[in-house]
């Protein structure tokens, strides 16, 4: 007697759970950002973040490992502008910048990207600057990461033969790192009342001088 066909196995679809986890993570990071801006780093607590996101404290600890990891993750998402798992170097605006053959237009695109980053990070950076030792360690880590990014951009220009003869790439990267600091954006916009468009135009001109001018 023939055996009946075996029942087909149901394929487990984890996309729903993954989306739920992504939304929960985003809600935690939003609550972290709000708490940091309202209370500062010292006044930010895992308990308040968990309550703001509607999750348990255990969930926050399991996802981010503690306050420092939580704030660093929030900083990284704020820098990128979203929580998509796409490195900055692979995002469309950066890929277009790298593909642009003209160095002046490359720097203009870089200034536009830097403006967007500073618009998103300015208040977060200010909150970290008054947050004590642990907050200062996070700020120092992000400064090192930004220097690595600027150095890679200047290195890209150098590899393409777009730096003037005698221009030291390390010196150009240092100067560009200073110019693109979120603190400088806040000084220009909040401190001096510049509209973001004026800051971007100023930054473009300063970066062009810092990177493309030969040694004085």
């Amino acid at each position: 007697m023939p055996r009946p066909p075996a029942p087909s196995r149901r394929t487990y679809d984890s996309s729903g759970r993954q989306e739920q986890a992504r939304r929960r993570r985003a809600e935690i990071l939003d609550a972290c950002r709000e708490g940091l801006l309202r209370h500062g780093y010292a006044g930010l607590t895992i308990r308040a973040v968990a309550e703001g996101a509607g999750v348990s404290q255990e969930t926050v600890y399991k996802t981010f490992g503690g306050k420092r990891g939580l704030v660093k993750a929030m900083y990284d998402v704020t820098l990128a502008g979203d929580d998509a798992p796409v490195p900055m170097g692979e995002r469309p605006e950066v890929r277009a910048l790298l593909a642009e053959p003209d160095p002046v237009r490359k720097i203009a695109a870089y200034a536009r990207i830097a403006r967007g980053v500073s618009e998103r990070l300015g208040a977060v950076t200010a909150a970290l600057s008054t947050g004590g030792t642990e907050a200062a360690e996070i700020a120092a880590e992000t400064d090192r990461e930004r220097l690595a990014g600027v150095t890679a951009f200047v290195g890209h220009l150098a590899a393409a033969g777009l730096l003037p003869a005698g221009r030291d790439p390390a010196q150009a990267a240092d100067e560009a790192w200073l110019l693109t600091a979120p603190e400088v954006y806040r000084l220009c916009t909040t401190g001096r009342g510049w509209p973001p468009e004026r800051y971007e135009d100023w930054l473009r001109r300063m970066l062009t001088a810092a990177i493309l001018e030969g040694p004085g």
Side-chain angles (χ1 to χ4, degrees):
M1 182 175 180
R3 299 175 63 182
S8 59
R9 292 185 177 180
R10 297 179 62 183
T11 303
Y12 177 68
D13 182 3
S14 63
S15 59
R17 294 187 64 181
Q18 290 173 349
E19 176 60 21
Q20 182 182 34
R22 189 198 67 78
R23 286 199 306 269
R24 183 171 61 239
R25 187 176 191 273
E27 289 166 356
I28 294 171
L29 295 178
D30 286 344
C32 172
R33 185 182 302 106
E34 181 179 347
L36 178 70
L37 298 183
R38 179 176 298 180
H39 304 294
Y41 189 85
L44 180 72
T45 65
I46 296 294
R47 178 179 180 178
V49 170
E51 290 176 353
V55 300
S56 67
Q57 294 183 59
E58 181 184 8
T59 296
V60 179
Y61 280 110
K62 287 177 65 176
T63 306
F64 298 101
K67 182 173 170 178
R68 178 171 177 168
L70 169 64
V71 172
K72 181 58 167 65
M74 181 273 294
Y75 185 102
D76 291 343
V77 168
T78 305
L79 183 153
D82 58 54
D83 62 352
V86 180
M88 286 295 290
E90 296 179 14
R91 290 175 177 256
E93 63 271 25
V94 177
R95 293 174 69 89
L97 177 156
L98 297 176
E100 168 60 54
D102 182 79
V104 174
R105 287 197 290 266
K106 278 183 184 291
I107 289 177
Y110 193 84
R112 186 163 54 251
I113 292 170
R115 166 191 163 183
V117 169
S118 288
E119 284 179 321
R120 295 189 294 272
L121 282 178
V124 171
T125 302
L128 289 176
S129 69
T130 59
T133 302
E134 189 168 274
E137 291 172 352
I138 297 173
E141 181 181 358
T142 62
D143 276 344
R144 290 191 296 271
E145 292 171 349
R146 187 166 57 81
L147 179 59
V150 172
T151 300
F153 174 61
V154 174
H156 163 73
L157 292 171
L162 298 177
L163 292 186
R167 189 64 174 113
D168 178 11
Q171 184 182 47
D174 276 351
E175 294 173 8
W177 177 77
L178 289 170
L179 289 167
T180 57
E183 295 88 345
V184 173
Y185 170 82
R186 283 182 61 82
L187 284 172
C188 292
T189 55
T190 303
R192 298 302 305 151
W194 292 9
E197 296 79 9
R198 179 179 175 185
Y199 163 81
E200 181 183 327
D201 181 66
W202 171 84
L203 181 61
R204 174 190 59 78
R205 290 184 284 109
M206 294 301 101
L207 287 173
T208 300
I211 296 173
L212 295 184
E213 286 186 0

